Amino acid sequence: MGWAIALHGGAGDIPVSLPPEHRQPREEALRHCLQIGVDALQGKMHPLDVVELVVRELENIPHFNAGRGSVLTNKGTIEMEASIMDGRTKKCGAVSGLKTVVNAISLARLVMEKTPHIYLAFDGAEEFAKEQGVETVDPSHFITAENVERLHHAKEANIVQIDYSTQPLQNGTKKETSVVANGDSQLGTVGCVAVDSNGNLASATSTGGLVNKMVGRIGDSPIIGGGTYANELCAVSATGKGEAILRATVARDVAALMEFKGFSLMEAANCVVHERTPKGTVGLVAVSAAGEVATPYNTTGMFRACATEDGYSEVAIWSAS
Amino acid sequence: MELLGFGSLRNPEKESQGSRAEGEKMGGWAIAVHGGAGVDPNLPLERQEEAKQLLTRCLNLGISALRSNLPAIDVVELVVRELETDPLFNSGRGSALTEKGTVEMEASIMDGPKRRCGAVSGLTTVKNPVSLARLVMEKSPHSYIGFSGAEEFARQQGVEVVDNDYFITPDNVGMLKLAKEANTILFDYRIPSSGYETCGSGVESPLQMNGLPISVYAPETVGCVVVDREGRCAAATSTGGLMNKMTGRIGDSPLIGAGTYACEVCGVSCTGEGEAIIRGTLAREVAAVMEYKGLKLHQAVDFVIKHRLDEGKAGLIAVSNTGEVACGFNCNGMFRGCATEDGFMEVGVW
């Protein structure tokens, strides 16, 4: 028992040849966000507040596909979405189609706490944001040169693509071997799960979605049970191929295996990722009420970081082996 | 928690056979439809009759289709289109109204065999949301599209579109007014609650759902689940959502795993308090206990209704790949009907 935290910055076909200038800032960012989360948990902050705090930080960092640094729709615009869930009460909040809200995850939290609803989207969500006085900016704030380039590549190849598998401005751009012609994505999203020493669990996920996605496309990140789930046993945040995560209700499935088949966190997480979803589509981070952590993925890599109260900590992209 | 009017329909013939042996007659088609959970106990008899007639008509539509060997996915779409077109229930024409007096519709559809799915939200001009959801599943690279993007997709696909007025009925205009009055008198959701209270729990008072008195609540959602002769399951759900909802509010109906789910073993469509259904990932839950606990369909439905709703009020219909059908609800009534290939057919409200 004790606190535990895990966070991710996306799973996908992250080439092991990823050049240092792309790898290091992300590793640094993961380390930074992990520290923020750890400090908060050590300061006895409630996990729901911790996951929101960490995801806000990830959203603000332009290297990940959420908030600033979100990938672009097929019209070159930004549409962000997020969801958050409290394990003990199962209260949840979600938002989609945000264009001006600096921190989508915080708006999701406000939906959870200040409305009778769970999920608000597009104009209605933006309107709610204004009513709540949350920080909003011009949409251009979220757009980075890298993502403009990625969209350009995607349009040329005429696919809806993952954001990490092409590195813009790189010589001999890596072939997107893992991109399927019908446009399924394999990467994106940031997320955080945490548990305190009282077994309170929470999960939060946020994303800009898929590069070159249709305007209005909603992925798994704001879907409770899909990209985000937390109950009294565990908290899960998933990343990868949105459509695959949705149909397999990935986040819920981890909890269901624990509950109905008595699997441990590790067994459940591994089962979902390695046996119940197609290879190359999913990664997740999860913590259990007992303070365990699991971070399995069936893609080439997953940007992640985790730590537990007994001193274990890791920041990684690929497997040790 | 006391179960109010808990109901469960199942094929009596199958039930009397006790636990069926392996290799016994498996399959045969089965179909169930619903027109919403949570019924005003004072609902005039004529309205109840109207509802039963519509459910019967829709069942028969589905039954003919199944007899002509139409696949489950086509049958659920067909039946839900009929429910959307008829103004009686809260979907398509006859949808509940947003706080601004407009209609915003959503729907989802799922095909069991490969768990393909499609969903839409925030539709304002599309005559049949369930059909657009199907097109998202089959003609787009995505699974869920909402609002202006969905409307645009609808135009690209050439589906039938009409003015938003088409969907608005005088009944619902009246209901919206009552809902607004009720909210002012009873409570204001914008006043922050002090603790983590369950969404939708308001002042203790006569029958309420989603914080509205049952008389103005308006049953949410229509849905259909089907298993065809090949054992393929499918499910579809469609709704105008919650009366007096905030614009942009998305409920459970378009959310895969919450309002709708279909996989190899079953097809499920839910209705009731959206927030409770989402929190309980209700549709997925039925499938999960069948898969992971080995429960049979009606046991799974019973379990989910009893244990997964806490204070929430909801109902669901479900079919299994072995040709069974079951319904369950923990609230005051659910408009529903079901039929199986061996001749069983039942339509009910309470």
Side-chain angles (χ1 to χ4, degrees):
Chain A
M1 285 287 218
W3 57 256
I5 179 171
L7 56 108
H8 69 76
D13 190 25
I14 308 165
V16 285
S17 55
L18 190 68
E21 63 266 26
H22 290 286
R23 182 168 48 84
Q24 279 162 1
R26 289 182 169 99
E27 280 173 341
E28 200 33 59
L30 291 168
R31 203 165 283 124
H32 168 75
C33 292
L34 183 66
Q35 196 57 54
I36 287 179
V38 167
D39 290 344
L41 281 165
Q42 284 173 337
K44 303 275 185 237
M45 190 182 268
H46 190 282
L48 189 64
D49 295 320
V50 176
V51 299
E52 183 189 353
L53 183 67
V54 172
V55 170
R56 282 177 66 96
E57 199 65 25
L58 287 161
E59 285 170 338
N60 294 342
I61 292 167
H63 301 304
F64 298 118
N65 175 16
R68 187 141 185 272
S70 281
V71 299
L72 307 178
T73 69
N74 63 7
K75 296 198 169 150
T77 56
I78 293 274
E79 283 180 2
M80 301 170 288
E81 50 194 17
S83 63
I84 189 166
M85 189 162 187
D86 176 56
R88 196 161 288 275
T89 60
K90 303 243 264 295
K91 285 196 70 172
C92 33
V95 287
S96 280
L98 299 182
K99 296 176 156 43
T100 68
V101 175
V102 174
N103 289 105
I105 195 65
S106 294
L107 193 69
R109 178 127 188 224
L110 286 169
V111 173
M112 176 173 102
E113 293 180 340
K114 298 282 169 66
T115 77
H117 303 321
I118 281 182
Y119 192 1
L120 287 180
F122 295 87
D123 290 349
E126 287 276 328
E127 215 175 289
F128 175 64
K130 285 179 181 44
E131 278 171 33
Q132 293 293 312
V134 301
E135 197 185 349
T136 57
V137 290
D138 187 86
S140 59
H141 160 90
F142 305 101
I143 301 177
T144 60
E146 274 183 341
N147 280 314
V148 171
E149 183 99 19
R150 285 198 181 103
L151 179 63
H152 183 65
H153 282 305
K155 280 183 177 296
E156 284 194 331
N158 198 29
I159 50 176
V160 172
Q161 60 135 295
I162 321 144
D163 54 347
Y164 287 110
S165 66
T166 44
Q167 298 306 319
L169 309 176
Q170 189 183 353
N171 279 339
T173 306
K174 182 177 164 59
K175 182 172 182 298
E176 289 92 74
T177 51
S178 38
V179 177
V180 176
N182 72 356
D184 279 349
S185 158
Q186 293 185 26
L187 176 49
T189 326
V190 299
C192 182
V193 292
V195 60
D196 63 17
S197 47
N198 294 321
N200 291 311
L201 290 142
S203 172
T205 314
S206 177
T207 189
L210 298 186
V211 175
N212 203 25
K213 66 182 177 179
M214 291 171 70
V215 163
R217 179 264 187 183
I218 293 171
D220 64 287
S221 304
I223 308 297
I224 299 299
T228 299
Y229 190 74
N231 62 8
E232 300 202 321
L233 293 173
C234 65
V236 184
S237 170
T239 166
K241 220 170 179 173
E243 284 71 12
I245 293 169
L246 193 65
R247 79 165 61 93
T249 59
V250 166
R252 174 71 189 108
D253 220 29
V254 174
L257 284 167
M258 289 182 75
E259 182 174 357
F260 299 132
K261 292 192 95 156
F263 283 12
S264 68
L265 180 76
M266 199 62 89
E267 287 169 339
N270 282 332
C271 179
V272 171
V273 167
H274 298 300
E275 293 170 43
R276 297 183 62 84
T277 47
K279 193 158 162 54
T281 62
V282 168
L284 63 88
V285 294
V287 289
S288 70
E292 302 155 296
V293 171
T295 59
Y297 52 94
N298 63 21
T299 49
T300 310
M302 180 169 75
F303 291 108
R304 64 198 185 278
C306 59
T308 56
E309 188 163 7
D310 55 17
Y312 173 74
S313 103
E314 179 188 53
V315 173
I317 303 175
W318 304 281
S319 294
S321 49
Chain B
M1 188 208 62
E2 209 174 288
L3 293 172
L4 260 186
F6 176 80
S8 178
L9 290 178
R10 58 194 79 159
N11 182 338
E13 192 183 297
K14 283 181 162 57
E15 202 182 354
S16 69
Q17 285 168 5
S19 57
R20 297 184 310 137
E22 279 303 314
E24 213 180 310
K25 173 194 154 202
M26 299 264 279
W29 54 256
I31 175 172
V33 297
H34 72 73
V39 186
D40 184 355
N42 298 319
L43 189 70
L45 272 170
E46 318 90 74
R47 295 295 303 266
Q48 293 182 42
E49 273 316 304
E50 261 186 304
K52 284 161 74 168
Q53 274 166 32
L54 175 58
L55 290 165
T56 305
R57 196 173 86 231
C58 290
L59 267 186
N60 284 328
L61 208 65
I63 291 169
S64 312
L66 283 162
R67 287 192 179 133
S68 341
N69 286 317
L70 210 62
I73 188 76
D74 292 328
V75 180
V76 296
E77 184 190 354
L78 181 70
V79 171
V80 172
R81 281 179 67 95
E82 187 68 24
L83 289 161
E84 286 170 340
T85 306
D86 194 293
L88 189 66
F89 293 129
N90 175 11
S91 70
R93 185 148 181 267
S95 279
L97 306 180
T98 68
E99 61 178 0
K100 298 193 168 144
T102 55
V103 165
E104 278 180 6
M105 301 167 288
E106 49 196 16
S108 61
I109 187 167
M110 192 160 185
D111 193 18
K114 292 203 174 103
R115 291 178 301 167
R116 299 178 306 144
C117 41
V120 287
S121 279
L123 299 183
T124 51
T125 68
V126 174
K127 196 147 176 272
N128 288 102
V130 71
S131 294
L132 192 68
R134 177 122 189 229
L135 288 168
V136 170
M137 177 171 91
E138 294 182 337
K139 298 278 167 66
S140 85
H142 303 317
S143 291
Y144 189 8
I145 304 180
F147 297 84
S148 61
E151 289 278 322
E152 207 178 302
F153 178 64
R155 274 150 191 79
Q156 285 166 11
Q157 293 295 312
V159 301
E160 198 178 351
V161 296
V162 292
D163 278 340
N164 199 250
D165 289 344
Y166 163 86
F167 304 102
I168 300 175
T169 59
D171 262 0
N172 280 322
V173 172
M175 287 295 203
L176 179 63
K177 217 158 147 282
L178 289 175
K180 284 183 181 293
E181 283 168 11
N183 271 340
T184 325
I185 296 166
L186 288 175
F187 43 72
D188 184 343
Y189 277 122
R190 280 163 180 75
I191 296 168
S193 44
S194 52
Y196 286 115
E197 285 158 20
T198 309
C199 255
S201 65
V203 173
E204 278 320 302
S205 67
L207 234 42
Q208 273 196 27
M209 274 183 74
N210 257 315
L212 287 170
I214 196 83
S215 53
V216 302
Y217 162 70
E220 285 193 90
T221 324
V222 298
C224 178
V225 293
V226 163
V227 56
D228 59 28
R229 285 185 176 131
E230 316 293 320
R232 295 176 294 210
C233 298
T237 314
S238 177
T239 190
L242 188 57
M243 186 66 76
N244 201 26
K245 66 183 179 179
M246 294 168 73
T247 53
R249 178 261 190 183
I250 293 175
D252 64 290
S253 304
L255 303 189
I256 298 300
T260 301
Y261 198 72
C263 57
E264 284 288 337
V265 303
C266 66
V268 186
S269 170
C270 305
T271 167
E273 292 182 322
E275 281 69 19
I277 295 168
I278 293 171
R279 193 178 303 131
T281 57
L282 223 63
R284 171 68 184 114
E285 213 65 356
V286 174
V289 295
M290 286 182 76
E291 282 179 281
Y292 300 146
K293 283 176 74 134
L295 296 190
K296 290 272 184 262
L297 185 74
H298 60 269
Q299 294 170 313
V301 170
D302 285 357
F303 174 87
V304 169
I305 294 291
K306 278 199 179 82
H307 301 293
R308 282 289 174 259
L309 284 170
D310 299 328
E311 284 129 40
K313 304 250 185 294
L316 62 91
I317 53 175
V319 288
S320 72
N321 64 350
T322 54
E324 300 159 294
V325 64
C327 316
F329 53 95
N330 70 350
C331 46
N332 198 55
M334 177 168 81
F335 293 109
R336 69 212 180 269
C338 55
T340 57
E341 187 163 13
D342 49 21
F344 171 72
M345 178 153 160
E346 191 170 272
V347 171
V349 179
W350 311 110

